[in-house]
Amino acid sequence: MIYPKIPLAQSIIEICLAKGITTIIISPGSRNAPLTIGFVNNPAFQCYSIADERSAAFFALGIAQQTKQPVALVCTSGSALLNYYPAFAEAFYSQIPMIVISADRPQSKIDIGDGQTIRQENVFENHSLYNANLHQDVSIENDLKINEAINKAITQKGPVHINAPFEEPLYETVSELSVEVKTIASANVIQTISIEDVSEFATIWNNSTKKMILVGVNDPNAISENIIEAFAKDESVVVLTETTSNLHHATFINNIDTIITPYTNEDFENFRPEILVTFGGMVVSKRIKAFLRKYKPKHHWHINTLRAYDTFGALTQHFEVDPNVFFETFLPLTNAIKSTYFNQLDAVKVLRKLKSDIYLDKIPFSDFKVFEKVIEGLPKKSQLQISNSSAIRYAQLIDIDPSIEVYCNRGTSGIDGSTSTAIGAAVANEKQTVFITGDIGFLYDSNALWNHYIPKNFKIILINNGGGGIFRILPGHEESPVFNTFFETSHCLTAEHLAKMYGFEYTIASDEVSLAISLTALYAQNEKPSILEIFTPTLKNDSILLQFFRELL
């Protein structure tokens, strides 16, 4: 076996191995050579080389998103480290485990004008669960810090930073280890909640005729079928989900904006819940957030093992357990109560569905029409990765087959690494993975395609409307040179040459007929990754979407 000669590098590698951290994403550099040598020459590690650190970090995020296990990132010193920050913040807010291991110059070289040196210690402090600032020499103290960082990433589901200073020479190797590392097992947290803990809340529940359950970002198959059925049978409960909730039942509302956008003040007052129960991650719908902030529930209970955000300014209780654990204890204490809450909303749902279908049947080729056809045509039991901004918002308006898993970077809701995340996810799962993105997000993260590990059956559906279409939908849109240049970012770029450069199959569509043909061809071709670029009319998309909400009345 080949090992780096530097003992500190040996310690980091051996502790990672002992703790089962075996997926390593490495960006090329010199200062991190001791770590690269050690990881790559040990067959126990699965190593990936991704040159662009920003893309590498989102690629790691996609793998960890799927495996639920920490992925380690390794980079050289200097500004390389800072490029991890967007994905690092996303991991923090999405509760995805990530371990950043940065090589550094020795402290004596910092702030003296030496090359590729920045103040690396605690650089992620605002979003890091733990910062392990190591000393150059091997020590028990270093081992404890490395252990603590990895344990935090595992148990608290988030990102940590290990900063390791190395002195030259950096490339020397040995055939025997010179260190014995100390490892500390991460604590196994057994989640329980007692009847006493929830009995008073069950009393409140049993006296309420209006209970709303709002589910944010949620893993597929995370909630037991018994709990889902219990929600569905209770006429005093309405369940609101989103595409990213991955929670399905015929009685649930999965297109919140379609339901509530036409509501009057009287409708909103009647819809106001007495109890709001939330679980899962971030919620996409701005309309439901605005509603609950204005028409606050008397009680808001959030269920999450780690944290609770007071999103609506009404949080009254945080249950720090898994939702299944909570409901398995809580639901047997609840009683049925007479209520019209569900039936009233269900009637609205039927009406909105009818009007939505009528509208979609008559609209011309546009972003909205494309999303309808693309989502309807997704392969059963596939995985959908979707970009932020207008892409995820359009997706909320279209019914999706329950067999399809849906993921989106909703922690920070940024467009900056959606493609890289989707590729990492595709590498880590065995399903057919389809990525839907807009043109600005795709161009922003085009280095994601600079990746030798992309599965042959990976599909990108790129909807190109010539700019940031979300800004035409938001209030304040005004056709002007300032708007077109600085908000919409108007452009005439396509993915054609990128596809050719990176070895992707490339096809285009610009109307319903060509879209139908192209989608069929897209899923039939699995010899190499593919991009289907769909061109939609820049100046019509916003009016078509806004008219949709007007015609729901």
Side-chain angles (χ1 to χ4, degrees), residues 66 378-379 381-385 407 421-436 455 457-460 523 530:
Q66 298 294 304
L378 290 168
K381 298 182 180 179
S382 62
Q383 181 173 116
L384 172 62
Q385 293 276 336
Y407 293 89
T421 302
I423 293 171
V427 167
N429 80 77
E430 297 180 354
K431 292 179 177 284
Q432 165 70 78
T433 302
V434 180
F435 175 54
I436 301 177
N457 66 345
F458 180 68
K459 316 293 185 188
I460 296 176
Y523 297 123
S530 305

Side-chain angles (χ1 to χ4, degrees), residues 14 19 101 141 174 184 224 234 295 313 355 371 412 513 516-517 532:
E14 290 302 303
K19 299 189 75 61
I101 308 173
E141 180 186 358
V174 294
I184 302 169
S224 77
D234 193 329
Y295 299 87
K355 295 200 170 186
F371 272 92
T412 64
V513 173
I517 295 169
L532 166 59

Side-chain angles (χ1 to χ4, degrees), residues 1-10 13 30-39 41 166-178:
M1 187 81 76
I2 297 173
Y3 302 98
K5 185 176 181 180
I6 295 176
L8 178 57
Q10 292 182 17
I13 293 162
S30 180
R31 190 60 50 172
N32 58 331
L35 294 168
T36 301
I37 290 167
F39 281 124
N41 283 289
F166 299 129
E167 183 58 281
E168 298 177 6
L170 301 168
Y171 293 88
E172 292 183 346
T173 61
V174 294
S175 57
E176 300 285 341
L177 286 171
S178 60

Side-chain angles (χ1 to χ4, degrees), residues 52 442 445-452 454 495-505 528-531:
D52 181 328
F442 174 81
D445 193 26
S446 61
N447 266 359
L449 308 185
W450 185 12
N451 183 312
H452 300 297
I454 303 174
E496 181 180 4
H497 297 294
L498 282 170
K500 183 176 181 181
M501 181 167 69
Y502 290 117
F504 277 67
E505 185 76 15
K528 57 182 180 178
S530 305
I531 297 173

Side-chain angles (χ1 to χ4, degrees), residues 448-507:
L449 308 185
W450 185 12
N451 183 312
H452 300 297
Y453 312 102
I454 303 174
K456 292 180 179 180
N457 66 345
F458 180 68
K459 316 293 185 188
I460 296 176
I461 297 178
L462 166 58
I463 301 167
N464 189 339
N465 55 24
I470 187 68
F471 293 102
R472 290 182 168 271
I473 299 166
L474 294 173
H477 162 233
E478 180 183 343
E479 207 69 47
S480 68
V482 169
F483 172 81
N484 294 337
T485 301
F486 293 100
F487 289 92
E488 185 183 35
T489 322
S490 300
H491 66 86
C492 297
L493 304 174
T494 77
E496 181 180 4
H497 297 294
L498 282 170
K500 183 176 181 181
M501 181 167 69
Y502 290 117
F504 277 67
E505 185 76 15
Y506 177 76
T507 54

Side-chain angles (χ1 to χ4, degrees), residues 103-239:
D104 198 359
R105 298 296 209 266
Q107 278 298 305
S108 61
K109 300 289 180 67
I110 307 301
D111 288 340
I112 66 167
D114 208 22
Q116 283 189 279
T117 57
I118 65 169
R119 299 172 188 175
Q120 292 184 198
E121 291 188 353
N122 304 317
V123 75
F124 301 124
E125 186 170 14
N126 283 342
H127 297 95
S128 181
L129 299 179
Y130 187 82
N131 299 294
N133 298 308
L134 306 182
H135 301 296
Q136 200 171 327
D137 299 323
V138 167
S139 65
I140 292 294
E141 180 186 358
N142 275 345
D143 285 1
L144 293 175
K145 288 179 179 178
I146 298 165
N147 275 274
E148 182 70 9
I150 296 173
N151 288 348
K152 289 275 190 183
I154 294 170
T155 60
Q156 295 189 22
K157 300 178 185 176
V160 297
H161 178 206
I162 299 170
N163 192 61
F166 299 129
E167 183 58 281
E168 298 177 6
L170 301 168
Y171 293 88
E172 292 183 346
T173 61
V174 294
S175 57
E176 300 285 341
L177 286 171
S178 60
V179 300
E180 286 189 19
V181 297
K182 181 178 181 62
T183 58
I184 302 169
S186 59
N188 288 323
V189 179
I190 300 174
Q191 295 183 356
T192 60
I193 191 166
S194 69
I195 291 174
E196 290 75 18
D197 291 332
V198 297
S199 58
E200 67 175 286
F201 299 96
T203 301
I204 296 170
W205 181 275
N206 291 333
N207 287 299
S208 170
T209 59
K210 292 182 178 181
K211 281 100 78 169
M212 177 186 292
I213 296 173
L214 174 61
V215 188
V217 173
N218 199 57
D219 286 333
N221 306 309
I223 305 300
S224 77
E225 287 298 323
N226 289 339
I227 293 169
I228 291 172
E229 285 301 324
F231 294 159
K233 290 176 181 176
D234 193 329
E235 62 187 30
S236 67
V237 171
V238 298
V239 180

Side-chain angles (χ1 to χ4, degrees), residues 22 164 242 320 415 518 526:
T22 56
E242 298 192 300
E320 297 182 52
I415 65 167
S518 296
N526 288 310

